[in-house]
């Protein structure tokens, strides 16, 4: 039924026309629920005088509907509309000009006396066209001439008439043409003159908002999303979905499986799309319906012919429903709904063997394109054993390494379970994916079972195990150890290196990934310089065969190690060089995406750009709560979160923030050592020495850290955090000998293993220790060494977080006139001094949190007039410890003498 709201009401035709003729001059539209196409309407209105608007798209894209809305709007604005629905009977010069004459007469542009039967039309159609245009030019209103379904008359003769029409078009006429196929229009002149406006399939497809307007409230948001995804914005298909809405709700199945919808789509494809094509082209599309993407060489392999390029060129030239994927190799895609209809036609043909076509497609895809598509084709051909063999030949783990966890899972899920279990290598690939995606316990059980069945991966299917199986097993073992957060002993690392040498020549890609894991194990142990060298070896081992995903993985870990070594410039360079590519690739792999954000946040924090760090942390936190994360990633994130939150929001924010971190299920890796060590570090930053000492005692950190085997027990971040905190506690409690011993070990280990930021912290503490012993030359030397490392790597927060120990040695260094210091180091030191002064000048914490409990006890004794010796005896402390607390009280209250400290304490509310 025609929607009357869309019909343009023209004057009645002449009485000597055939009875059906009036319907040639009105839009043939039938949507019962009009959808406003505001974007299209804006394009129509913007068309200049003498312009030509060409709507070119397959059937069902609403070309007639859109033009009908334009016609209604034009009539409402006072324009005259002449509409003609063209048919094959209008082919040829005389017939086409006659159709134009009829449409203008119907719109009362031509006087009715000018109407004549086609057989009596002037012999020269172009002369007749001149008469039409002369008459139309005298029309008092703007005229919109709409030629609908022009593909029915597209011949060289009609194209010549059309070119003449455009050349001689009066200024009061606009022309709109709709066509399903590309038309022979000489468009270059119109384009140069700015008179041609093309509107193609992408612009005519419904937006989600327009689809929602079509369905009104008939569909739920989930149904709307599914329908739009299946129909890809194709208006006719969306209309079919609307018509089948009741059946869809009743059946509760996918829209594609609703019989009424499938029937409507099939009828539409057969009568509206394929009907316009020659038989050989339809045959070509049916034979190649076994895959989504058409390429000439692929189609030739499937069809066992050599004419596929000509067929595709013909289809593309006619601007059919094919969608261009890549121009360079001539790749095209058939819309999924159309391909399903074509595939059903293939299955119904007795003269075509669908299984043979699938097998040919699979063999070609294995060699030239996608393993997943090849597996799908093998299974569709009824040969799952061939699919399993294809995955084995390609290497399941190779595929996972090259394309990511999700891609490997999607391939393995296609295989029947019995074929998967029959292959140890495919089972290892499944274990690899399950472990990476959070199923650690299940994966570990499967790995142990497989190891037992294969006698430690030495046998395979009744015979000796292949090198490929042994390499896969080694890689999965590396992965498990790596993600569980454990460290490897020096002996185990040596054994792993020996295993690598055995397989590197046979399985280069696996050896590359195992080298990467080896480097990351060294990273986790804190041997950062060695880890960097191993990653370089991984890069060189198989440089010619990297996939894009593999190369990104390697670069990611290069950046991770560079940052851990404290080389901020190198880490930033790696991130910046591939930032756009990484965004595209890593968003498909949440773990990599989060790790990138974590590391960038750590860089921003070190550069003292706290707001940027906070922003990146927020982006990483959600993902890290939902994906498997390795130890180093979590440790880096939590340390950056803690330090940034504390610096921005103060001590009150520490416990709520740490409670949130501990609530993340994957935090169990960090609960034993790292989070307590981080709490101790934050307590020292807040100058709450008692709290730090209590944490240290509860976890027996001092004894455990000082044990010679502690590097085997702790991850390097834990070892460094605990070591720096122990040195600070010893220094604060005036245990100077203990502080010196801790710092000597910390500095030696950090400098030898390439952990520059820990090395700088150790040097700052060493300088503070020497300064407290009045060894000013040693203090200056240690501080200059720290500045040499810090200035080269743009460190900020590493120094600012050590302000408690940095301020006095720094002031002494800059005040000294006898210490030789290079100009750039002096400039760096002066900037740090300015930053420290700024922080101290602007930071006025609330009084109750200003002093620790012990410092308040000492302050009360000072207010009573007691000396340090008396205070030490009353509180059970040593005199040096009391002296240290007094110095802290003076610094926190910004005073220099006992005579003023009590007054300042009363002023700030510390004392009542």
């Amino acid at each position: 039924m025609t929607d009357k709201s869309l019909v343009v009401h023209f004057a009645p035709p002449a009485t000597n026309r055939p009875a059906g003729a009036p319907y040639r001059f009105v839009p043939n539209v039938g949507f019962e629920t009009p959808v406003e196409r505001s974007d299209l309407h804006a394009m129509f209105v913007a068309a200049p005088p003498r312009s030509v608007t060409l709507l070119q798209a397959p059937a069902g894209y609403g070309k007639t509907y859109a033009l009908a809305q334009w016609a209604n709007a034009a009539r409402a604005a006072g324009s005259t509309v002449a509409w003609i629905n063209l048919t094959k009977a209008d082919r040829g010069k005389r017939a086409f000009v006659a159709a134009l004459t009829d449409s203008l007469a119907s719109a009362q542009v031509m006087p009715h006396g000018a109407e004549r039967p086609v057989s009596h039309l002037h012999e020269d159609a172009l002369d007749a066209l001149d008469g039409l245009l002369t008459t139309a030019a005298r029309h008092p209103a703007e005229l919109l001439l709409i030629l609908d379904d022009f593909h029915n008359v597209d011949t060289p003769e009609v194209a010549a008439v059309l070119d003449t029409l455009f050349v001689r078009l009066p200024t009061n006429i606009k022309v709109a043409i709709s066509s399903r196929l590309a038309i022979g229009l000489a468009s270059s002149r119109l384009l140069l003159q700015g008179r041609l406006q093309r509107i193609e399939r992408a612009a005519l497809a419904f937006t989600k908002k327009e689809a929602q307007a079509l369905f009104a409230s008939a569909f739920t948001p989930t149904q709307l999303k599914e329908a739009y995804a299946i129909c890809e914005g194709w208006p006719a298909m969306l209309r079919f979905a609307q018509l089948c809405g009741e059946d869809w709700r009743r059946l509760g199945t996918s829209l594609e499986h609703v019989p009424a919808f499938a029937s409507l789509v099939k009828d539409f494809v057969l009568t509206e799309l394929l009907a316009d094509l020659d038989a050989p082209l339809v045959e070509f599309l049916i034979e190649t319906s076994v895959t989504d993407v058409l390429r000439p060489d692929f189609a030739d392999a499937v069809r066992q012919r050599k004419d596929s390029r000509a067929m595709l060129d013909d289809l593309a030239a006619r601007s059919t429903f094919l969608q261009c994927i890549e121009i360079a190799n001539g790749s095209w895609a058939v819309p999924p709904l159309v391909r399903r209809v074509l595939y059903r036609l293939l299955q119904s043909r007795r003269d075509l063997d669908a299984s043979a076509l699938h097998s040919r497609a699979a063999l070609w895809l294995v060699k030239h394109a996608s393993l997943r598509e090849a597996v799908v084709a093998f299974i569709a051909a009824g040969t799952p054993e061939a699919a399993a063999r294809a995955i084995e030949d390609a290497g399941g783990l190779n595929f996972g390494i090259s394309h990511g966890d999700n891609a490997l899972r999607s391939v393995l899920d296609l295989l029947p379970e019995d074929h998967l279990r029959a292959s140890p290598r495919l089972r290892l690939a499944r274990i690899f994916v399950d472990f990476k995606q959070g199923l650690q316990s299940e994966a570990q059980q499967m790995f142990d079972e497989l190891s037992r069945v294969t006698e430690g991966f030495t046998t395979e299917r009744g015979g000796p195990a292949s090198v490929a199986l042994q390499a896969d097993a080694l890689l999965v073992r590396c992965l498990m150890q790596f993600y569980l957060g454990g460290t490897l002993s020096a002996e185990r690392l040596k054994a792993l290196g020996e295993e690598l040498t055995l397989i590197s020549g046979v399985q280069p890609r696996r050896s590359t990934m195992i080298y990467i894991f080896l480097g990351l194990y060294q990273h986790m142990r804190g041997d950062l310089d060695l880890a960097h060298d191993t990653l370089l070896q991984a890069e060189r081992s198989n440089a010619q065969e990297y996939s894009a995903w593999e190369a990104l993985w390697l670069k990611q870990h290069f950046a991770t190690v560079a940052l851990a070594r404290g080389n901020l410039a190198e880490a930033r360079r790696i991130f910046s060089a591939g930032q756009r590519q990484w965004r595209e690739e890593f968003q498909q792999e949440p773990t990599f995406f989060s790790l990138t954000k974590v590391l960038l946040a750590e860089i921003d924090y070190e550069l003292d750009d706290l707001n940027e760090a906070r922003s990146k942390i927020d982006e990483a936190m959600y993902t890290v709560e939902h994906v498997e994360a390795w130890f180093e990633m979590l440790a880096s994130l939590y340390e950056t979160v803690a330090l940034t939150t504390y610096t921005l929001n103060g001590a009150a924010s520490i416990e709520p923030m740490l409670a949130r971190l501990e609530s993340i299920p994957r935090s169990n890796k960090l609960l034993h050592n790292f989070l307590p060590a981080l709490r101790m570090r934050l307590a020292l930053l807040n100058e709450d020495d008692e709290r730090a000492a209590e944490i240290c005692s509860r976890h027996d950190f001092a004894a455990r850290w000082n044990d010679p085997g502690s590097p085997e027990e702790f991850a390097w971040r834990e070892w460094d955090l605990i070591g720096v905190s122990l040195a600070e506690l010893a220094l604060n409690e005036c245990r100077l000998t203990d502080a010196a011993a801790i710092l000597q070990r910390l500095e030696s280990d950090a400098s030898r293993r390439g952990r520059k930021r820990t090395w700088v912290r150790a040097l700052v503490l060493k300088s503070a220790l020497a300064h407290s012993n009045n060894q000013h030359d040693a203090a200056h030397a240690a501080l200059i060494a720290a500045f040499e490392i810090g200035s080269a790597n743009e460190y900020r927060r590493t120094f600012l977080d050590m302000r408690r120990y940095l301020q006095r040695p720094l002031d002494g260094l800059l005040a000294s006139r006898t210490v030789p210091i290079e100009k750039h180091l002096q400039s760096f030191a002066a900037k740090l001094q300015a930053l420290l002064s700024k922080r101290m000048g602007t930071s006025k914490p609330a009084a109750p949190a200003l002093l620790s409990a012990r410092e308040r006890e000492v302050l009360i004794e000072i207010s009573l007039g007691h000396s340090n010796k008396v205070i030490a005896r009353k509180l059970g402390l040593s005199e040096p410890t009391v002296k240290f607390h007094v110095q802290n009280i003076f610094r926190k209250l910004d005073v220099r003498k006992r005579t003023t400290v009590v007054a300042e304490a009363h002023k700030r509310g510390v004392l009542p």
Side-chain angles (χ1 to χ4, degrees), residues 436-600:
K436 283 289 295 295
Q437 297 188 345
L439 303 174
Q440 280 81 22
S441 59
E442 296 90 336
Q444 186 69 60
Q445 289 175 6
M446 288 191 291
F447 185 83
D448 293 341
E449 178 190 352
L450 184 59
S451 177
R452 178 179 55 78
V453 170
T454 59
E455 300 178 14
F457 300 100
T458 60
T459 64
E460 182 178 8
R461 292 173 175 169
S466 64
V467 177
L469 176 62
Q470 294 174 342
D472 284 354
L474 178 59
L475 180 55
V476 172
R477 239 186 351 256
C478 285
L479 172 87
M480 289 179 165
Q481 181 74 28
F482 176 63
Y483 272 83
L484 285 173
T487 58
L488 294 182
S489 64
E491 293 76 15
R492 182 69 189 95
L493 282 173
K494 182 179 179 182
L496 182 59
E498 292 172 354
E499 290 180 74
L500 280 172
T501 59
L502 293 176
I503 67 168
S504 59
V506 182
Q507 297 289 329
R509 173 157 291 173
R510 290 176 182 79
S511 71
T512 298
M513 293 310 302
I514 297 171
Y515 271 122
I516 291 175
F517 279 121
L518 177 61
L520 293 175
Y521 285 137
Q522 292 162 341
H523 174 190
M524 291 166 66
R525 284 177 54 82
D527 294 322
L528 302 183
D529 288 343
L530 188 59
H532 181 264
D533 293 341
T534 302
L535 290 177
L536 285 175
Q537 189 173 1
E539 186 178 47
R540 291 191 294 265
S541 66
N542 195 28
Q544 300 303 317
E545 297 185 19
Y546 286 146
S547 67
W549 195 89
E550 229 172 337
L552 287 172
W553 193 351
L554 188 57
K555 284 185 179 179
Q556 172 76 65
H557 292 308
F558 262 124
T560 305
V561 171
L563 181 57
R565 296 170 75 204
N567 295 340
L568 302 189
E570 182 182 354
R572 280 194 298 173
R573 178 185 58 76
I574 295 173
F575 281 125
S576 300
Q579 191 172 15
R580 180 178 299 176
Q581 187 182 7
W582 287 19
R583 264 201 306 270
E584 297 170 358
E585 297 288 339
F586 287 172
Q587 284 177 354
Q588 306 302 317
E589 289 293 326
T591 303
F592 274 175
F593 179 73
S594 291
L595 179 56
T596 303
K597 292 298 181 183
V598 169
L599 298 181
L600 288 171

Side-chain angles (χ1 to χ4, degrees), residues 129-389:
L129 180 64
D130 280 339
L132 291 178
L133 294 177
T134 300
T135 303
R138 293 197 293 267
H139 188 69
E142 183 183 80
L143 174 62
L144 175 59
L145 174 61
I146 298 178
L147 309 178
D148 197 19
D149 290 339
F150 187 83
H151 53 274
N152 286 325
V153 300
D154 187 23
T155 63
E157 286 186 338
V158 173
V161 176
L162 207 59
D163 288 340
T164 303
L165 171 66
F166 295 154
V167 170
R168 303 176 186 178
L169 198 65
T171 57
N172 64 328
I173 299 180
K174 296 180 181 179
V175 179
I177 303 172
S178 75
S179 175
R180 294 180 181 179
L181 305 176
I183 64 176
L185 177 64
S187 59
S188 56
R189 185 190 304 113
L190 294 173
L191 284 170
L192 289 173
Q193 294 172 349
R195 294 170 54 202
L196 179 63
Q197 179 176 228
R198 287 184 180 274
I199 300 176
E200 298 183 342
R201 172 170 34 195
L204 288 165
F206 272 12
T207 63
K208 289 183 180 179
K209 186 176 180 180
E210 290 169 340
Q212 189 174 15
L214 173 66
F215 297 140
S217 58
F219 286 179
T220 65
T222 303
Q223 286 179 311
L224 173 63
K225 183 178 180 180
E226 180 183 344
Y228 191 82
I230 290 172
C231 300
E232 298 181 323
W234 199 330
M237 303 300 178
L238 290 168
R239 173 62 170 159
F240 296 153
Q242 182 193 30
L243 293 173
C244 300
E246 187 174 340
D247 287 349
W248 189 10
R249 285 188 294 273
R250 178 172 52 81
L251 294 172
T253 183
S254 167
L255 175 62
E256 299 169 87
H257 298 138
V258 176
F261 178 75
S263 178
L264 287 171
V265 171
K266 179 181 177 181
D267 291 343
F268 177 80
V269 171
L270 294 177
T271 59
E272 299 294 334
L273 298 181
L274 301 185
D276 291 328
L277 302 178
D278 299 332
L281 293 178
V282 174
E283 190 76 4
F284 170 81
L285 291 170
I286 292 173
E287 290 178 331
T288 55
S289 63
V290 294
T291 187
D292 295 331
V293 178
L294 292 176
R295 281 178 49 176
D297 49 352
F298 169 71
D300 282 343
V302 171
R303 300 169 62 239
Q304 294 186 327
R305 298 181 189 175
K306 298 294 184 182
D307 60 347
S308 299
R309 181 172 294 280
M311 292 285 188
L312 280 171
D313 289 346
D314 192 4
L315 286 166
R318 300 179 67 174
S319 188
T320 55
F321 46 80
L322 291 187
Q323 300 168 351
C324 183
I325 301 296
E326 188 176 343
I327 295 176
N329 61 14
S331 296
W332 300 84
V334 178
L337 288 175
V338 178
R339 194 179 75 85
R340 290 188 187 97
V341 174
L342 293 167
Y343 188 69
R344 292 191 196 102
L345 293 175
L346 170 64
Q347 291 177 313
S348 67
R349 293 275 296 273
R350 294 186 177 182
D351 59 324
L352 292 175
D353 186 349
S355 294
L357 293 171
H358 277 298
S359 294
R360 293 176 205 152
L363 292 172
W364 188 93
L365 289 166
V366 165
K367 292 180 180 179
H368 301 95
S370 164
L371 177 63
R372 185 184 188 283
E373 291 180 18
V375 170
V376 170
F378 276 127
I379 292 175
T383 55
E385 64 282 355
R389 191 164 53 252

